[in-house]
Amino acid sequence: MGKKLLLGAEAIALGALDAGISGVYAYPGTPSTEITEYIQKNNADRETPVRSSWSANEKTAYEAAFGMSYAGKRSLVCMKHVGLNVAADAFINSAITGVNGGLVIAVADDPSMHSSQNEQDSRVYGKFAMVPVLEPSSQQDLYNATIEAFDLSESVQLPVLLRLTTRLAHSRAGVNRTTARIQNTLNAVYAPERFVLIPHHARQQYNLLLSIQKKLEILSEQSWLNRLIPGLGRNGVIAFGIAFNYVMETRQAFNLNFPVLQIGQYPLPRKLIATFFESCDTVLIAEEGYPVYEELLRGYLENGKVKGRLDGTLPRAGELNADIIAKGLGIEQKKVRQIPDIVVNRPPALCKGCGHRDLYEALNSVMGSFTEHHVFSDIGCYTLGALEPFNAIHTCIDMGASITMAKGAADAGLRPAVAVIGDSTFTHSGMTGLLDAINDRSPLTVIIADNDTTAMTGGQQSSATGSKLVEICRGLGVEEHHIRKIVPLKSQLEINMTVLRDEIIYDGVSVVIAQRECIETATRKKRNLAART
Amino acid sequence: MQTNIILAGVGGQGILSIAAVIDHAALQSGLIIRQTEVHGMSQRGGSVQSHLRISNREIYSDLIAEGTANLILSVEPHEALRYLPYLAPEGRVITSTNPFINIENYPAMDDILSELHRTNRPVLVNAAELALEAGHARTSNMVMLGAAAPYIDIAVEQLESAIEELFHIKGGDIVAINIKAFRKGQKLSQTQETEK
């Protein structure tokens, strides 16, 4: 069998399939989306199909994956780093109960915030939950480590966190495959003493989790993901995850021979680290993300040997690369060409013909007549409404925050209070906030920009669109005649402005659903249809 | 042997198809590959780039270090300039001369060309024209791949069979047009090289 060309994200997907998962659960989020998409695309011809459709959010995804594990089968759950904030409650507590079938959570972090609102480091969550964390540095290692992660999860009965970052998730390389394993059989266990987390059980389970930490450390000592690359001299580098690649690239490019300790499995292998420290006078800590382990190894009172992000040897924020590592190692910087002064930025913009454009045009015209014209918004393509030429929205914090922030602002007396949220974001985390507003009679207008898909991440199936959204709003208690539908088209501008104005001045909870299919998915459908006929 | 290529363009111009062809051809040639992609917000009319590295020995970094790119292969002239810090001293810029203007402050074409001419013997290609000659405007990315082919250490037959592989689901006509576009780019590039 020849090598397959796979993105890092796809290497995880294939690894999980070959490890015999029975289900993958996920909510789309860059750079993690391709894991689930790969499984969806490569599922049709499988003897035993893998459950793989999109979940409403990361928490529902995690809990469902956990339920599959409870039933004895292997499951994978995938998300981007900020998605783990949403799933954190389930994640942390599943470490207390432990798992039955192998449960692996693949989390893709986004240092440098290529498509995210922060660069939080998921290894902190792994440490917080006290579960094993794997952080391979190449596509092949990702494939192999994913398979092993399931075995590890079943052997220590804990969820295993597989951490990767944007660069590896979205980089292709040839990957060799091993033999696929068959799925686990159904094997649900009655173990309320583990899975019913009343305080009495929880204390016992927590003690169990604490007691196996030493074992996890020993497993790290033995793991192939943690290894020494011997070298000369007493200035060493500990390279974590993908940082290993940049360190080795620099070592190769400049013909250097310093010792490197590669770390790809946590908790840290204490002995390996201690021995390495003894053999070195200085140790550069290269971590992609937060200086999580640099801080630990440096110690509050500084041990004097450590260099890294915290003393300015490496930049405190942002993604690493070989140039940054070379600079950190004191290698003289070569002169390179500069970007010519005439080069200007080409900021992302809403697509030509996108319905959000017409929605914002109408909304801006209406909001212009109010002294206070704050618009609370959310995460999706429509966030681009914050940029020129629209400048239409004033907040974007986290999934669902548009509605709840508008509610709080309305409670404070802000009039009007307007929220703009997409269909997929609404079902992810907007519905509960709308219920709060109804129960509290907070006067606000929620505009659901329904483009019939999760567009920003490439057009995945959205949990509720069209008439289903109307039913949800009605069910939550929005008054029938204050659930309005508009079609965001240039030709409808006048009528859309009228509807928006009427609902925005209404002193209660109203919802305006702006329904028009994403221009990207519509074009793609048309093209596929033409290709078939 | 190691070739570092920066692929540049604007979202939707088809640089990922160029990458897919080179990747596939390199894999078939038994070479090691690393190729990054850009997803997410930058897709929508924004600048997109891909770092593509092929080698006969282990590649560690998915990213190309500054000053080490052998080629900047761009489907848009202004975008080619954005990545000049990556270009090796002897590296070459191969770019389409057809501007993609979706911003108000797009620089003057003369300024762009004079910056391009400051690089080491740039290969400038009117890709749109050659693509139309080949049979479809959408093949300009394959024109550009053809123009870059003489500078990539992969046999032309491998590249052409990768084009076939990539487009065969769209039918024989589409394959033929893309191969034609590829050859037009290749020919132009070879002519420019001998003229210099």
Side-chain angles (χ1 to χ4, degrees):
Chain A
M1 203 163 14
K3 278 187 182 178
K4 275 177 96 83
L5 201 56
L6 297 176
L7 292 174
E10 295 171 337
I12 292 178
L14 188 62
L17 286 172
D18 288 348
I21 55 163
S22 299
V24 59
Y25 294 85
Y27 181 81
T30 312
S32 71
T33 314
E34 292 81 3
I35 307 173
T36 308
E37 284 186 327
Y38 184 89
I39 295 172
Q40 290 171 344
K41 280 179 206 147
N42 291 277
N43 205 6
D45 53 348
R46 301 184 74 81
E47 214 168 293
T48 322
V50 167
R51 183 271 162 218
S52 67
S53 50
W54 295 104
S55 301
N57 66 38
E58 293 85 356
K59 182 173 183 283
T60 65
Y62 192 91
E63 288 157 351
F66 185 43
M68 184 170 269
S69 155
Y70 178 93
K73 299 205 176 185
R74 290 185 163 188
S75 60
L76 175 71
V77 52
C78 323
M79 60 197 67
K80 68 183 294 176
H81 57 342
V82 286
L84 185 48
N85 296 332
V86 179
D89 201 2
F91 171 62
I92 304 286
N93 290 315
S94 69
I96 307 284
T97 62
V99 305
N100 183 17
L103 174 59
V104 173
I105 168 174
V107 186
D109 291 358
D110 190 20
S112 279
M113 306 175 226
H114 298 282
S115 345
S116 307
Q117 65 271 47
N118 73 33
E119 60 171 27
Q120 67 183 57
D121 190 322
S122 298
R123 295 177 303 161
V124 176
Y125 268 116
K127 207 159 165 257
F128 190 31
M130 290 181 274
V131 301
V133 176
L134 307 186
E135 193 188 15
S137 66
S138 71
Q139 292 79 350
Q140 183 70 58
D141 285 359
L142 268 177
Y143 172 82
N144 297 342
T146 302
I147 296 174
E148 283 188 25
F150 283 97
D151 296 336
L152 176 63
S153 171
E154 284 175 1
S155 88
V156 298
Q157 293 203 323
L158 285 176
V160 172
L161 195 155
L162 186 63
R163 186 225 188 195
L164 76 165
T165 54
T166 309
R167 212 45 80 175
L168 194 53
H170 284 170
S171 176
R172 282 177 206 285
V175 172
N176 282 315
R177 233 178 134 171
T178 52
T179 334
R181 177 186 177 281
I182 55 161
Q183 295 185 18
N184 286 358
T185 51
L186 189 68
N187 179 28
V189 285
Y190 293 99
E193 70 287 355
R194 285 177 62 195
F195 290 100
V196 180
L197 284 181
I198 50 175
H200 173 63
H201 296 160
R203 282 181 211 116
Q204 282 179 1
Q205 284 301 116
Y206 182 53
N207 280 328
L208 180 67
L209 178 63
L210 294 175
S211 71
I212 59 173
Q213 292 304 304
K214 196 71 206 165
K215 184 182 173 191
L216 300 184
E217 201 177 292
I218 293 167
L219 289 171
S220 286
E221 301 277 3
Q222 297 160 348
S223 168
W224 58 275
L225 288 159
N226 296 329
R227 64 185 181 122
L228 176 74
I229 291 91
L232 299 173
R234 296 187 60 85
N235 298 322
V237 180
I238 303 184
F240 293 76
I242 198 174
F244 175 75
N245 299 354
Y246 305 132
V247 170
M248 294 307 285
E249 180 79 21
T250 306
R251 206 168 175 262
Q252 190 182 57
F254 295 93
N255 263 319
L256 302 171
N257 202 9
F258 52 82
V260 178
L261 181 60
Q262 178 180 18
I263 300 293
Q265 181 166 336
Y266 311 80
L268 283 192
R270 191 179 295 269
K271 279 185 200 152
L272 268 177
I273 301 261
T275 314
F276 192 74
F277 259 82
E278 273 164 32
S279 70
C280 293
D281 295 332
T282 71
V283 179
L284 176 71
I285 308 292
E287 292 177 87
E288 185 80 310
Y290 285 10
V292 184
Y293 291 95
E294 181 187 339
E295 200 173 10
L296 186 84
L297 294 169
R298 190 178 275 281
Y300 188 68
L301 300 174
E302 300 272 339
N303 69 19
K305 281 188 178 181
V306 172
K307 293 179 183 299
R309 287 188 187 267
L310 291 171
D311 64 354
T313 307
L314 300 175
R316 176 62 182 78
E319 195 180 8
L320 296 173
N321 59 43
D323 297 307
I324 292 171
I325 294 293
K327 199 174 167 205
L329 288 167
I331 294 164
E332 206 185 318
Q333 296 300 286
K334 52 191 176 265
K335 260 188 88 131
V336 297
R337 287 187 174 83
Q338 297 301 304
I339 301 173
D341 293 336
I342 59 162
V343 173
V344 290
N345 281 338
R346 211 187 281 262
L350 288 167
C351 300
K352 251 186 222 168
C354 168
H356 297 331
R357 285 179 172 267
D358 298 302
L359 171 63
Y360 280 132
E361 201 180 316
L363 183 63
N364 275 350
S365 304
V366 173
M367 293 307 281
S369 58
F370 296 99
T371 333
E372 298 276 11
H373 54 273
H374 300 267
V375 175
F376 299 87
S377 193
D378 233 298
I379 296 181
C381 284
Y382 49 92
T383 314
L384 294 170
L387 306 177
E388 292 286 348
F390 301 105
N391 302 308
I393 62 164
H394 308 100
T395 72
C396 161
I397 315 295
D398 66 85
M399 297 288 282
S402 58
I403 297 178
T404 26
M405 281 182 72
K407 180 211 181 300
D411 294 345
L414 187 73
R415 299 286 184 282
V418 176
V420 174
I421 187 168
D423 48 289
S424 182
T425 309
F426 178 71
T427 46
H428 180 290
S429 292
M431 301 188 296
T432 43
L434 182 55
L435 184 61
D436 277 350
I438 288 159
N439 290 342
D440 224 5
R441 297 173 198 277
S442 311
L444 84 166
T445 301
V446 175
I447 299 168
I448 305 178
D450 173 14
N451 59 3
D452 202 34
T453 188
T454 313
M456 192 53 144
T457 44
Q460 291 75 24
Q461 174 106 44
S462 176
S463 290
T465 62
S467 58
K468 221 165 153 185
L469 285 174
V470 177
E471 282 168 43
I472 289 171
C473 294
R474 197 187 292 140
L476 288 171
V478 184
E479 286 173 62
E480 185 83 47
H481 55 284
H482 287 292
I483 304 173
R484 308 283 297 272
K485 285 202 281 186
I486 62 171
V487 182
L489 276 171
K490 203 154 255 67
S491 58
Q492 305 284 305
L493 181 66
E494 288 300 320
I495 185 157
N496 291 349
M497 281 172 61
T498 309
V499 172
L500 285 168
R501 190 177 298 112
D502 287 353
E503 296 308 326
I504 286 169
I505 55 175
Y506 166 63
D507 195 38
V509 178
S510 58
V511 174
V512 178
I513 305 176
Q515 270 172 353
R516 201 179 119 205
E517 190 182 358
C518 164
I519 191 86
E520 279 281 314
T521 55
T523 314
R524 210 180 305 155
K525 268 186 213 161
K526 212 183 272 175
R527 209 184 296 146
N528 290 347
L529 202 68
R532 250 178 276 140
T533 50
Chain B
M1 162 293 220
Q2 182 163 302
T3 309
N4 293 332
I5 307 170
I6 302 270
L7 295 170
V10 177
Q13 283 195 303
I15 70 163
L16 293 182
S17 301
I18 300 180
V21 171
I22 303 177
D23 286 351
H24 194 80
L27 196 71
Q28 293 301 315
S29 312
L31 296 167
I32 309 263
I33 310 150
R34 288 289 182 107
Q35 182 245 317
T36 67
E37 288 191 1
V38 179
H39 297 237
M41 292 191 77
S42 20
Q43 278 185 332
R44 330 228 164 240
S47 304
V48 291
Q49 56 163 323
S50 170
H51 290 208
L52 199 159
R53 310 187 68 194
I54 43 183
S55 178
N56 51 13
R57 60 170 185 177
E58 184 163 12
I59 301 172
Y60 288 106
S61 171
D62 300 271
L63 293 171
I64 295 170
E66 289 193 344
T68 66
N70 307 91
L71 293 180
I72 291 176
L73 171 52
S74 181
V75 292
E76 208 279 344
H78 174 231
E79 291 305 317
L81 300 175
R82 201 182 295 284
Y83 307 102
L84 286 182
Y86 289 103
L87 197 61
E90 71 290 357
R92 303 284 293 267
V93 175
I94 297 165
T95 182
S96 159
T97 53
N98 314 121
F100 186 97
I101 303 174
N102 63 347
I103 41 174
E104 281 171 19
N105 53 347
Y106 191 90
M109 202 55 207
D110 286 348
D111 292 344
I112 292 176
L113 288 173
S114 77
E115 289 292 351
L116 285 169
H117 280 296
R118 279 185 205 178
T119 64
N120 175 31
R121 294 183 294 145
V123 179
L124 306 178
V125 185
N126 186 339
E129 191 182 86
L130 294 181
L132 279 179
E133 281 176 28
H136 204 291
R138 286 182 63 134
T139 61
S140 59
N141 56 347
M142 288 303 121
V143 171
M144 291 314 301
L145 174 61
Y151 309 98
I152 302 173
D153 276 333
I154 296 175
V156 169
E157 300 73 50
Q158 288 285 12
L159 288 169
E160 290 196 352
S161 97
I163 294 174
E164 209 172 317
E165 182 85 16
L166 183 70
F167 292 105
H168 84 270
I169 43 166
K170 295 185 177 172
D173 291 354
I174 302 289
V175 171
I177 292 175
N178 278 286
I179 297 270
K180 204 169 161 193
F182 173 83
R183 288 182 182 165
K184 280 187 178 289
Q186 191 193 3
K187 194 172 160 206
L188 180 101
S189 179
Q190 281 159 343
T191 319
Q192 281 198 17
E193 193 67 34
T194 45
E195 279 169 4
K196 282 168 186 162

